[in-house]
Each structure stands twice: as structure tokens, then as C-alpha cells.
Amino acid sequence: MAPSASLGPGRPVPGGADWCSSEPPSIPADGHRWQLSGHLQLSAMRRDARSLLTHGADAPRSAGDTNDEAAERVVLALDELASNALRHGGQPVSAELFDRGDTWLIVVTDSASAELPVPAVGRPGGLGGFGLYIVADFSVAHGIEVWPDHKRVWAELPKR
């Protein structure tokens, strides 16, 4: 069965383990977006995201800010989803990070709607595929939104 937008929210994506087809939560109007054309851009994305997560838009930290441990989880999840899109997806690839109050929403988009994220099952650890389990473990919600010409992989992580 070829993946398509007709899978519908909440229906399992074939081979996707616990990653289901579903729309992301409401996306705020403003966020930070990275257009990615290769893996060399990931280090700058991680640096930008870490700064944004821990300091906001150059504002002093407040009691409601993301703590350092939570920020590192968000950076790891952002990097994992973005690097998967670059490795297995098609151009254009974008990664977005949105502040949703108590959570951060990561949305990664690429044009390879037929190439769905598949967590490793029954293969040696050295062959990869375990990052999706880590992202799922860190997340309060996660999923895949599949359209005929692109897909969005998303994860929502707590600030604390």
C-alpha cells in the first residue's frame, strides 16, 4: 500500500511501529525555521535551537524557560528528525521549532511521502534506526502527516 494523505489521522502507518499518521497539534504563527540542503547545516541548526531554547529571543531567562536538560532533549529530537529527512527524504527539507507554552513542537517536512520513518525492529544496533524510539520516548505526542507530495514528521516535547 502506497502511503498517502488518505491514511487519515490516527491510523497506523505501515511499518511505522508507534509512529501513526496524524496531524500535529495546532501550530503557532511564529516559530523558527531552518531550510536544510545537507548534513553540514545540522550543527548550525543545533546551535541556533539550543540558544533559542535556553535564552529565547535574546531575553533573560525566567522561571518558565526550558531547563538545560529539556533543551538538550529537544535539540536531540530536532537533530534526529532533521537528519532522517536529509538521509531518507527528498528536497526541500525544512525543520521548524515552535513554542507552545508548556511544550516545544518540532515539525520536519520533506518531499519523499513514500519514504516513511520506520523505527528499527530486529536489526543490530549498529545499523541505526533507534533514534525514532528516543524521540518517541521524549515526546508527549508524535506522528507523521502524509500528503501526496510531502510528509511532515512531528514531535511535541515538554519544557521541563
Side-chain angles (χ1 to χ4, degrees):
M1 175 175 131
S4 68
S6 65
L7 286 172
R11 296 209 30 222
V13 173
D18 66 341
W19 285 78
C20 293
S21 177
S22 62
E23 292 182 27
S26 63
I27 297 175
D30 59 339
H32 195 88
R33 181 181 187 143
W34 296 269
Q35 284 298 130
L36 304 169
S37 58
H39 285 84
L40 295 177
Q41 295 172 305
L42 292 175
S43 64
M45 179 192 73
R46 289 189 304 266
R47 184 180 56 249
D48 291 349
R50 192 171 284 112
S51 177
L52 179 70
L53 292 163
T54 58
H55 302 297
D58 299 323
R61 289 187 74 160
S62 67
D65 285 346
T66 305
N67 66 34
D68 290 339
E69 186 177 316
E72 288 306 312
R73 286 191 298 267
V74 173
V75 170
L76 177 64
L78 176 66
D79 184 67
E80 176 63 29
L81 297 181
S83 64
N84 281 352
L86 288 167
R87 186 175 300 111
H88 306 292
Q91 290 291 334
V93 172
S94 67
E96 297 171 286
L97 183 60
F98 300 96
D99 185 343
R100 295 193 70 241
D102 292 336
T103 61
W104 289 100
L105 176 63
I106 298 166
V107 179
V108 176
T109 305
D110 71 66
S111 66
S113 60
E115 295 293 327
L116 300 177
V118 179
V121 176
R123 65 179 162 204
L127 297 179
F130 291 92
L132 292 173
Y133 289 112
I134 294 169
V135 174
D137 189 48
F138 289 166
S139 303
V140 296
H142 59 275
I144 306 164
E145 186 178 34
V146 183
W147 298 88
D149 63 343
H150 70 281
K151 71 175 173 294
R152 296 195 310 178
V153 180
W154 60 272
E156 187 174 16
L157 285 79
K159 288 187 174 181
R160 297 235 162 245

